Amino acid sequence: MKKVQIEIKLIIEFYDSFFFGGGVGTGKIQSYLLRDINGFPYISGAALKGCIAEYAALLSQLVPAFNNGDKLFGIGGVQQGSLYFANGSLVHMSQYNDMKENLMELRTGISINPYTKAKKEGQLYTMELSGMSGEMIFESSICGFMDADTYQRDIAHIIAAVRMIFAMGGRRSAGLGWLRCPIQCQVMKEVGESEKEIIESKDINQWIKDWIGETTCIK
């Protein structure tokens, strides 16, 4: 079957602090922030994929046409899906070089027993956060191949799911990782050797309307 190569560029802006776990410590800090080799915070591609796949799965339950999720995202194990999710890196990273130590903040909390709803004895913890009060902007991308006869529907599925995301990372219920605005998307498809064509937002919006508009609510 003929394939279409797709790239979706994403711009992610946080409202305030966020947390993407990079490991568990045993000293002063119990939950470390995910950092790259240069010490900057980043969004892991796996976390990005999981977040989008979660909303895509919800959409597929409402919109019968969005039935290609397993092929796009995979189902774990050997079936990893046809899309690659790049890590999200800071936009204009060089401007943060002189303030690395100020990119992180510490927040202390108490673990709650989910059954008694009371604090656990001796469970005071400190976690490492970042965000700089919404000053940090990240860019990432989704790349891969889609079937030529379904790529418009698959793009509509992914973009509709991305637009539903309101927060990312850990501790969202505690107010971390909320987005300042919907994730910005630019979709491109390969039309020739080393040549890409931008798919206009109005066309994607129409595709979304076409597929979702055919759905009849039965509950």
Side-chain angles (χ1 to χ4, degrees), residues 53 68 103 169 186:
N68 213 17
L103 297 182
Q186 183 185 65

Side-chain angles (χ1 to χ4, degrees), residues 92-145:
H92 308 307
M93 189 180 294
S94 59
Q95 72 183 32
Y96 298 100
N97 281 327
D98 297 330
M99 56 177 75
K100 281 185 181 180
E101 298 303 319
N102 298 322
L103 297 182
M104 315 301 170
E105 62 177 281
L106 299 180
R107 183 173 298 183
T108 300
I110 299 175
S111 295
I112 301 297
N113 187 308
Y115 302 104
T116 65
K117 305 302 180 183
K119 65 180 182 180
K120 295 180 181 178
E121 188 68 26
Q123 288 298 308
L124 185 70
Y125 67 88
T126 300
M127 58 191 304
E128 196 176 41
L129 310 178
S130 193
M132 292 184 64
S133 300
E135 296 295 326
M136 307 177 80
I137 302 174
F138 293 81
E139 58 183 354
S140 181
S141 63
I142 306 170
C143 303
F145 292 88

Side-chain angles (χ1 to χ4, degrees), residues 75-92:
I75 56 175
V78 295
Q79 186 176 336
Q80 296 297 316
S82 60
L83 301 177
Y84 169 76
F85 294 76
N87 291 335
S89 302
L90 279 169
V91 176
H92 308 307

